[in-house]
Amino acid sequence: MAYDDGNVFARIVRGEIPCNRIHENEHALSFHDIAPQAPVHALVIPKGRYVSMADFAAGANAEEQADLFRAIGATAVALGVTESGYRLLTNTGPDAHQEVMHLHFHILAGKRLGPMLTGGPMPPSSAP
């Protein structure tokens, strides 16, 4: 999957679209989600051009990787959710319903979130 420099997160990183920042370091940025799915919902993104975790693991240098994971921890602390707990989630590709093709992690908290998946059997994968 090719990276699209016009995606909304790339535009946020470049300062073209404002965001409600929580934390920032040299290689990562976190901000509040504009359509929260939980009482606390933040996004943490690398500033580099990465589509997925596999892309990031293959291409990001050690400093980029460390900064992203430090940003996740610092964001959880800033949100005050480390004691009560939070869900850290990333969606990759169409089967996981990735909406923005820029690697991003959701931090969801503020209530009991329930099981990861509910309902009956999963629909068949669209993968070959």
Side-chain angles (χ1 to χ4, degrees):
M1 187 176 322
Y3 186 82
D4 173 13
D5 284 310
N7 77 65
V8 66
F9 296 156
R11 295 181 66 206
I12 288 171
V13 167
R14 290 193 303 266
E16 297 171 6
I17 297 175
C19 68
N20 185 359
R21 292 175 198 266
I22 300 165
H23 177 82
E24 185 171 12
N25 60 38
E26 185 177 354
H27 297 289
L29 171 67
S30 68
F31 49 91
H32 292 276
D33 194 293
I34 62 168
Q37 303 297 305
V40 176
H41 188 172
L43 299 169
V44 184
I45 64 173
K47 291 181 178 179
R49 301 172 74 245
Y50 302 104
V51 175
S52 67
M53 193 62 215
D55 184 25
F56 183 74
N61 65 40
E63 188 176 341
E64 289 176 292
Q65 292 182 27
D67 270 1
L68 178 61
F69 287 98
R70 284 185 188 108
I72 291 169
T75 300
V77 169
L79 294 169
V81 298
T82 58
E83 291 298 317
S84 59
Y86 58 95
R87 181 168 290 159
L88 180 64
L89 174 85
T90 188
N91 300 312
T92 302
D95 278 359
H97 198 66
Q98 183 178 7
E99 294 178 4
V100 178
M101 297 305 145
H102 182 115
L103 175 62
H104 57 286
F105 291 85
H106 298 260
I107 295 177
L108 301 149
K111 70 175 186 177
R112 288 194 173 270
L113 297 173
M116 284 292 297
L117 300 172
T118 60
M122 294 296 295
S125 171
S126 63

